[in-house]
Amino acid sequence: MAEPPAAATVQEVADPSLVLLTVEETARRLRIGRTTCFRLVRAGEIESVMVGRLRRVPADAVPAYVAKLRHRPARAA
C-alpha cells in the first residue's frame, strides 16, 4: 500500500467534544497565526481562562469572537 505524498495537506477535524482549546488549536480553527492568536488572547479580544498554569480558550469563545468581528464596523483601508 502506498503512503500519501508528503506534500498532501491534512484537514484538522474539529472535535466537538472539546470544551477547552489550546491557543494553538484556537489559531488553527480561526486560520490565523499562533502569534496573532496569542496577541488577541493577551488583549482580551478572545476569551481565555487559566487552568492551573495553562492558558485555555473555551470552545464557544471562538464563534463569539467571530460574531464580534462580524458586527464590528469596517475600517477604511
Side-chain angles (χ1 to χ4, degrees), residues 10-76:
V10 177
Q11 291 287 332
E12 178 184 321
V13 178
D15 183 352
S17 67
L18 293 178
V19 177
L20 295 173
L21 307 170
T22 64
V23 176
E24 290 85 355
E25 290 168 335
T26 303
R28 281 194 299 270
R29 286 190 181 192
L30 291 170
R31 294 188 176 252
I32 62 175
R34 176 183 173 273
T35 304
T36 300
C37 194
F38 270 104
R39 185 178 48 77
L40 291 169
V41 165
R42 197 173 308 116
E45 291 286 319
I46 298 175
E47 178 190 359
S48 67
V49 297
M50 292 296 290
V51 179
R53 295 176 59 184
L54 303 173
R55 173 74 53 190
R56 294 294 183 253
V57 176
D60 61 349
V62 177
Y65 173 68
V66 173
K68 278 195 315 189
L69 290 177
R70 294 182 77 179
H71 292 95
R72 186 180 293 175
R75 293 181 1 195

